[in-house]
Amino acid sequence: MKKEEVPQDESGLSRANIKEVVYAVDNDGKYGKALSSGWEAKTIALNESLELIEEQLQETIKKIKQGVLSPIAYYMELQRMDVVVLSGYVGLWQWRVKRHLKAKTFNKLSEKTLKKYAEAFEISLEELKNPKI
């Protein structure tokens, strides 16, 4: 595609005033970098993935209110983390982080362990214990 044909459609990127680098052909026929604020196909895919993330987050909130999951699951999803990433941040084995996702186990955690999670999520200990959901 030619540089002047690089899509500049309204997207999540353009609303955040972010440009994406793409490669395009200049007037001399050479490839070079060009900035794009988005294009329709990418916007559709991005919006669908964000809707899916929101649905998963709502399901997690429901399970926390039912006493099945711990607030760790909420903050983990909110910050787009998985068990592998979170275990690296808190310095715990993955199997331990998985256990801490259960409400019963979470309620028995020490202050020291809870502080590790609060620091990883960049929230206060109080916010971790009592999320505003």
Side-chain angles (χ1 to χ4, degrees):
M1 130 180 34
K2 294 182 180 179
K3 277 192 175 183
E4 55 272 358
E5 295 173 354
V6 171
Q8 301 297 330
D9 297 338
E10 183 73 21
S11 70
L13 293 176
S14 63
R15 285 189 290 273
N17 202 22
I18 297 172
K19 299 280 185 180
E20 181 178 29
V21 175
V22 296
Y23 290 94
V25 179
D26 64 16
N27 293 334
D28 298 328
K30 296 180 182 178
Y31 281 96
K33 297 175 187 175
L35 296 176
S36 173
S37 60
W39 55 91
E40 185 179 8
K42 187 169 187 169
T43 300
I44 291 169
L46 179 62
N47 288 341
E48 286 181 13
S49 66
L50 291 174
E51 286 174 17
L52 180 61
I53 289 169
E54 183 60 29
E55 287 174 18
Q56 291 171 334
L57 188 60
Q58 293 306 316
E59 185 64 28
T60 298
I61 290 170
K62 180 180 166 186
K63 289 181 179 179
I64 290 169
K65 289 180 178 179
Q66 293 172 344
V68 176
L69 291 177
S70 75
I72 293 171
Y74 169 73
Y75 288 110
M76 192 172 80
E77 283 194 29
L78 192 64
Q79 296 196 12
R80 316 287 194 274
M81 293 182 175
D82 61 9
V83 172
V84 176
V85 171
L86 183 55
S87 70
Y89 275 102
V90 295
L92 298 171
W93 293 98
Q94 293 174 29
W95 66 269
R96 289 188 69 198
V97 172
K98 285 180 188 177
R99 285 189 66 235
H100 297 166
L101 295 176
K102 298 175 184 173
K104 287 182 181 180
T105 306
F106 176 82
N107 293 332
K108 297 175 187 175
L109 292 177
S110 68
E111 291 288 311
K112 181 180 174 183
T113 302
L114 291 172
K115 284 180 183 176
K116 288 181 182 182
Y117 284 110
E119 288 173 12
F121 297 131
E122 297 179 340
I123 58 173
S124 69
L125 195 55
E126 185 61 32
E127 286 176 291
L128 178 64
K129 291 179 181 180
N130 302 301
K132 296 176 184 174
I133 51 176

